Protein backbone atom coordinates (compact mmCIF):
# COMPACT_ATOMS: atom_id res chain seq x y z
CA UNK A 1 0.00 0.00 0.00
CA UNK A 2 1.23 3.47 -0.86
CA UNK A 3 -0.16 6.45 1.05
CA UNK A 4 0.09 10.13 0.24
CA UNK A 5 -1.12 13.30 1.91
CA UNK A 6 -4.36 13.11 -0.08
CA UNK A 7 -5.07 9.42 -0.55
CA UNK A 8 -3.88 5.86 -0.95
CA UNK A 9 -3.28 3.13 -3.51
CA UNK A 10 -3.26 -0.58 -2.73
CA UNK A 11 -1.96 -3.18 -5.20
CA UNK A 12 -3.90 -6.43 -4.80
CA UNK A 13 -2.79 -10.00 -5.51
CA UNK A 14 -3.69 -11.28 -8.99
CA UNK A 15 -7.19 -12.71 -9.22
CA UNK A 16 -8.56 -10.76 -6.25
CA UNK A 17 -12.32 -10.27 -6.51
CA UNK A 18 -15.05 -8.88 -4.30
CA UNK A 19 -14.80 -5.85 -2.06
CA UNK A 20 -11.71 -4.30 -0.51
CA UNK A 21 -12.26 -2.76 2.92
CA UNK A 22 -9.89 0.10 3.68
CA UNK A 23 -9.15 0.93 7.32
CA UNK A 24 -10.16 4.57 6.97
CA UNK A 25 -13.40 6.16 8.21
CA UNK A 26 -16.14 6.36 5.59
CA UNK A 27 -16.75 10.10 5.83
CA UNK A 28 -17.64 12.66 3.18
CA UNK A 29 -14.76 13.64 0.92
CA UNK A 30 -13.50 10.19 -0.13
CA UNK A 31 -13.46 9.16 -3.79
CA UNK A 32 -12.42 5.64 -4.80
CA UNK A 33 -12.03 4.50 -8.39
CA UNK A 34 -13.76 7.72 -9.53
CA UNK A 35 -16.89 7.36 -7.40
CA UNK A 36 -18.05 7.65 -3.81
CA UNK A 37 -17.19 4.49 -1.84
CA UNK A 38 -19.66 2.41 0.12
CA UNK A 39 -19.43 1.92 3.87
CA UNK A 40 -18.78 -1.34 5.70
CA UNK A 41 -18.86 -1.09 9.50
CA UNK A 42 -17.93 2.60 9.17
CA UNK A 43 -14.92 1.93 6.92
CA UNK A 44 -14.40 2.45 3.20
CA UNK A 45 -15.62 -0.45 1.07
CA UNK A 46 -14.46 -0.45 -2.54
CA UNK A 47 -15.50 -2.97 -5.23
CA UNK A 48 -12.38 -4.56 -6.72
CA UNK A 49 -12.39 -3.97 -10.48
CA UNK A 50 -8.70 -4.33 -11.29
CA UNK A 51 -5.27 -5.06 -9.88
CA UNK A 52 -5.28 -1.99 -7.64
CA UNK A 53 -7.61 0.11 -5.49
CA UNK A 54 -7.02 3.85 -5.45
CA UNK A 55 -8.76 6.35 -3.16
CA UNK A 56 -8.30 10.08 -2.67
CA UNK A 57 -9.57 12.43 0.02
CA UNK A 58 -10.58 16.04 -0.35
CA UNK A 59 -12.21 17.64 2.67
CA UNK A 60 -15.74 18.92 1.98
CA UNK A 61 -15.82 22.69 1.71
CA UNK A 62 -12.10 22.99 0.95
CA UNK A 63 -12.62 25.25 -2.08
CA UNK A 64 -15.04 27.55 -0.25
CA UNK A 65 -12.73 27.68 2.78
CA UNK A 66 -9.72 28.59 0.64
CA UNK A 67 -11.72 31.34 -1.08
CA UNK A 68 -12.89 32.77 2.25
CA UNK A 69 -9.35 32.65 3.63
CA UNK A 70 -7.96 34.42 0.55
CA UNK A 71 -10.64 37.13 0.81
CA UNK A 72 -9.87 37.64 4.51
CA UNK A 73 -6.14 37.88 3.78
CA UNK A 74 -6.81 40.44 1.05
CA UNK A 75 -8.90 42.51 3.47
CA UNK A 76 -6.19 42.38 6.13
CA UNK A 77 -3.48 43.27 3.63
CA UNK A 78 -5.42 46.29 2.36
CA UNK A 79 -6.29 47.51 5.88
CA UNK A 80 -3.44 50.05 6.14
CA UNK A 81 -4.96 52.03 3.25
CA UNK A 82 -8.48 52.19 4.69
CA UNK A 83 -9.45 55.44 6.29
CA UNK A 84 -6.23 57.23 5.47
CA UNK A 85 -6.86 60.93 5.13
CA UNK A 86 -6.29 62.27 1.66
CA UNK A 87 -4.05 65.21 1.20
CA UNK A 88 -5.54 68.32 -0.26
CA UNK A 89 -3.45 70.66 -2.29
Amino acid sequence: MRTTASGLTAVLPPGTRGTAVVAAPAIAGWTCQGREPESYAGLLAVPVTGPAVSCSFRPPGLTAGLAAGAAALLCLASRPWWGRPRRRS
Side-chain angles (χ1 to χ4, degrees):
M1 180 179 296
R2 184 176 61 90
T3 59
T4 64
S6 63
L8 57 94
T9 300
V11 178
L12 306 170
T16 302
R17 297 184 336 202
T19 301
V21 178
V22 180
I27 59 175
W30 280 104
T31 304
C32 297
Q33 315 281 90
R35 61 188 191 102
E36 189 174 322
E38 297 175 17
S39 176
Y40 177 81
L43 301 175
L44 299 177
V46 184
V48 176
T49 58
V53 172
S54 181
C55 296
S56 62
F57 183 74
R58 183 177 180 142
L62 178 63
T63 305
L66 289 174
L73 183 61
L74 182 62
C75 288
L76 287 173
S78 65
R79 178 66 179 118
W81 292 279
W82 291 351
R84 235 185 211 183
R86 296 183 183 190
R87 292 184 176 184
R88 293 185 184 186
S89 31

